[in-house]
Amino acid sequence: MEATTSSPSAAPSPQPRAREEGSSGEGSPVRFEAEPGRYRHWKLSLEGAIARVSMDVDEDAPMRPGYQLKLNSYDLAVDIELADIVQRLRFERPEVKAVVVTSAQPRIFCAGANIYMLGSSSHAFKVNFCKFTNETRLALEEACSESGQHYLAALNGVASGGGYELALACEEIFLCDDGSSAVSFPETPLLAVLPGTGGLTRLVDKRKVRRDLADVFSTLAEGVRGKRAQEWGLVDRSIPRSRFDQAVAQRAAELAAATPDRPGPGVELAPLEPRRAEDGDVSTCDYRHVSLKVDRAARTAEIRVLGPDGEGPSDAAGMRRAGADLWALRAFRELDDALLDLRFNHPTVGLVLLRTAGSPDAVRAADEALWAARDDWFVKEVLLHMRRVLKRLDLTARSVFALIEPGSCFAGSLFELALAADRSYMLDGGDDDASRASPATVALGPLNFGPLAMSNGLTRLASRFLGAPERVAALKERTGPLSAEEALEEGLCTFAPDAMDWDDEVRLAIEERVSLSPDALTGMEASLRFCGPETMETKIFSRLSAWQNWIFQRPNAVGQRGALTMYGRPERPEFDWRRT
Amino acid sequence: MEATTSSPSAAPSPQPRAREEGSSGEGSPVRFEAEPGRYRHWKLSLEGAIARVSMDVDEDAPMRPGYQLKLNSYDLAVDIELADIVQRLRFERPEVKAVVVTSAQPRIFCAGANIYMLGSSSHAFKVNFCKFTNETRLALEEACSESGQHYLAALNGVASGGGYELALACEEIFLCDDGSSAVSFPETPLLAVLPGTGGLTRLVDKRKVRRDLADVFSTLAEGVRGKRAQEWGLVDRSIPRSRFDQAVAQRAAELAAATPDRPGPGVELAPLEPRRAEDGDVSTCDYRHVSLKVDRAARTAEIRVLGPDGEGPSDAAGMRRAGADLWALRAFRELDDALLDLRFNHPTVGLVLLRTAGSPDAVRAADEALWAARDDWFVKEVLLHMRRVLKRLDLTARSVFALIEPGSCFAGSLFELALAADRSYMLDGGDDDASRASPATVALGPLNFGPLAMSNGLTRLASRFLGAPERVAALKERTGPLSAEEALEEGLCTFAPDAMDWDDEVRLAIEERVSLSPDALTGMEASLRFCGPETMETKIFSRLSAWQNWIFQRPNAVGQRGALTMYGRPERPEFDWRRT
């Protein structure tokens, strides 16, 4: 990532931006790759171990026409840049140990998600927008807890709604005590919705604000300022303006000083440069290791992941040299991009078919090399990234079937794809001599037993065998490839039809799945995928987001006289008072 | 409770039933008290330690006109009787140690909630209906785990949807293997909704069914029979018809034999006999210790609880003699009935004001006597009942403010009301000589530190001070009454205005609260009330129910061409395929 400064020279590049080509989020495609040289809404300055990320939203550059991004309010494009900053700091700037998040605009830190953007978006877009911003906040928290990059929110103005939620995702919050800077959740009193980016959950679960104070706070449109914000635990420190910058700088220096070094150089995240094509109802997007093929008529998509091509580096030094070309990093970055493409740009696809192709041994060798070198910061980042991408898959509201066929490489980290799927079909045997001679197998490795845990804190294997941890322990000993029969016996695939039945069984399963209600499937999958413990992370996506999805549907928010619709107009919204 | 048999003599009594007076659930009031002599849909037979609860729904006795309760499908009235059976068995039949739940109708165990009833109900009613049935299932599970009454589901026919969910709430499930009996969740494939009574959560979290098998099962309209149902963990045993009755009887005998005695006699739960009155916009309902006053114009309700009148029994023997007249049992039964009345019959009330009146010392004495005698089964049942009622309050989707004034008795178990409230206002001092001489106090006692835990498994104090368990420990030492100033200092009330400010501050808070969107408040309160750990119980009400509420709003289920609307018609439903 290029280090930029907060000077005007870091202003938006005049070059055409990929985002502008198709950024409406409601028709033309959204693209999720960002480039530091082209950030439009954030300024980044680096000074030794301390990075300063300043929000400076260009109000005249909304992602699609129809609203202005006033008061540092954000839309998806703003958040895509933030996600890119958090990601690149981890990979590209290992020397950074403290990140100060602040505002470059006077008297406002951030006004949260843009209301007019929300008000004019479809329900599906709103839900996916909130999901993405939640994932970005969680990645930021993970950078604090796992990467030794400590985020400090320096609220030099009003932080309302999503603005305060961004602060809540930081490790510490400093608020300027100047008579006007405040933190607030005006969503409930002004908009009849909830803070949609984890705010209520983080308030009581992360910051452990007393629930009655949280109740008062969350119904107070003007929010809470100064000492009271500190007393209630809404911020860590309230500091007079005269000493604010110094206190922030000092705390950032302390955080940095207390954090171990991560020896550089960083690894630059090169652009993915996928090739996209359209052919009637079929869209394809080919990356180096991943391809996404969408069949709009069938309402299915296929994601195919290729295993490593030949032997990869076996130690940390070699992996750092490979950098962004390292298979595990590149393939999972591509998968991530494909999943976001699917979520935002292909809303009617109901079912994702996961396939892999390549050598299971090569996947296992790559996994084992990663695992052996996990103490290296870069390798650790690669593993954390794989974990985030797999969580993104778990949280993607589409049915997922894994198809395990001859020639596939569902081993180790790629077997997690099959474990993340709602079901898996594994072909028992083959339908020609070649496939009979080398039938499909699956295999486990070190990455299946810890580093790629789900957001519930359990591995996918532990979630799968929630009632039988002894089975997971026994599987640790099964290091060789497992045939379809063995995988079925061990509970590692759902069905194992033979070649005679395969086509019909898979076809019928697909046809049946895409005929079911997309809403019921979303709720069903969200319930079955996340068995066992709930964490702050899963609570954000279940309790909070599920309620928010509900509220986003209700006439009290989005009806003709609903509060979200009426926002900014002189009339009062009208409510149906029946409580449910 | 009267023992009845499965003979025709237990058929519905010809006497007029309270339920018939106002049972629509959509206008005329629902009443929640039931009497064994008047059960219409269940048969109960008792033989020593074993009770047999047979579902035999009278299809011609729906709670309101417009649908028939075919195939042992149920509506709220059926579930009110079931809740009454579970409750009465615990209090009235301590000798019962195993409860066989089965069907008295041929080839069908239970077809779940009646679809036509659901399809013709308002959203608010559907949500409250599901909440009540969930609470009933959880009470049944609590009877298994806490009261030594072990429920065994004997599925002698098809158990579909809510029918299988009832079985899932039982401790064990036996399924008749006769080629037709099956368990199934047809909701998603046939109705485009979710099983609404904890089914998906219990499938993976309680029975720990593998998530991919749960996925297949939950999309298979016809369900799963015989050995496969046992192999997948959907039932504990699949048993041929010829040996079914014997196997059930034998298992019930085993369960009973392994359970300690609870020495009788039981305590009969006398009717509450509230006095109801209407006066313009104001409805009142006066019980012995509780009153509910609803102001429809203001959209507020007041629940006032009176503390014990004079000295109560100090030991278990005395409490058993007092029986249903024991203050703690009677007052909390009344509170329970008032909460249900509020939920179903006063949907537009947004805010509940909780008040108490009486002697704090008398409440603490009653609490201490209960706590000292907690090893007695009846006393334990009283404590468990108090816990259930307080959970019902936590789960009531209305804003709740506690008003702590001179003359109140927010001590011990009644202080839990203030802790359950979203906020509390405590009057500091008084506005006349009398109240200045004896100002409001609050006090803690043994029941605040464990036995009345919330559904998240924590006490309300531990939830309140989630980040500071040491404060909870310190509060254990504060045994005396606390003034408003002290309570504020200890974080035990939200605000403590003095007499000068009290009226205005409380009035403004009320006016402001009832002006906010009821939907946003429901989501906000559900998020803030349940901080900390999630349990199977909270997951059922958050993850699962929140999704179900969402789905119940969606056109794919309830629109003109939605699956719930179209059920039973020849045409197929039409779906908006966009996934969210």
Side-chain angles (χ1 to χ4, degrees), chain B residues 160-218:
Chain B
S160 63
Y164 179 46
E165 287 180 301
L166 174 57
L168 282 168
C170 295
E171 206 167 299
E172 296 184 17
I173 308 174
F174 283 17
L175 174 64
C176 187
D177 186 1
D178 55 6
S180 79
S181 295
V183 295
S184 68
F185 277 158
E187 283 87 345
T188 295
L190 293 187
L191 305 169
V193 297
L194 304 182
T197 317
L200 297 176
T201 300
R202 281 200 181 81
L203 212 52
V204 291
D205 276 319
K206 181 182 182 181
R207 295 197 63 88
K208 299 182 170 57
V209 172
R210 233 173 63 204
R211 54 164 286 202
D212 58 337
L213 301 176
D215 179 275
V216 175
F217 172 67
S218 305

Side-chain angles (χ1 to χ4, degrees), chain A residues 29-32 128 276 283 285 287 292-296 299-303 334-354 392-393 396-400, chain B residues 579:
Chain A
V30 190
R31 298 290 172 235
F32 290 86
N128 274 310
R276 301 178 198 277
S283 302
C285 179
Y287 305 82
L292 169 67
K293 182 176 169 186
V294 170
D295 184 335
R296 278 183 294 276
R299 284 185 280 103
T300 60
E302 180 189 272
I303 292 180
E334 293 173 354
L335 177 57
D336 206 32
D337 198 60
L339 289 171
L340 291 169
D341 190 3
L342 193 63
R343 281 193 194 168
F344 281 88
N345 301 323
H346 304 287
T348 61
V349 166
L351 174 62
V352 180
L353 303 170
L354 291 176
R392 184 104 78 191
L393 175 58
T396 294
R398 311 294 169 96
S399 300
V400 180
Chain B
R579 269 277 201 148

Side-chain angles (χ1 to χ4, degrees), chain B residues 312-346:
Chain B
S314 61
D315 61 9
M319 292 184 206
R320 292 228 216 160
R321 275 194 302 276
D325 287 328
L326 185 71
W327 171 80
L329 178 53
R330 176 92 192 187
F332 278 78
R333 284 180 67 215
E334 293 173 354
L335 176 57
D336 205 33
D337 198 60
L339 289 171
L340 291 169
D341 189 3
L342 193 61
R343 281 192 193 169
F344 280 88
N345 301 323
H346 304 286

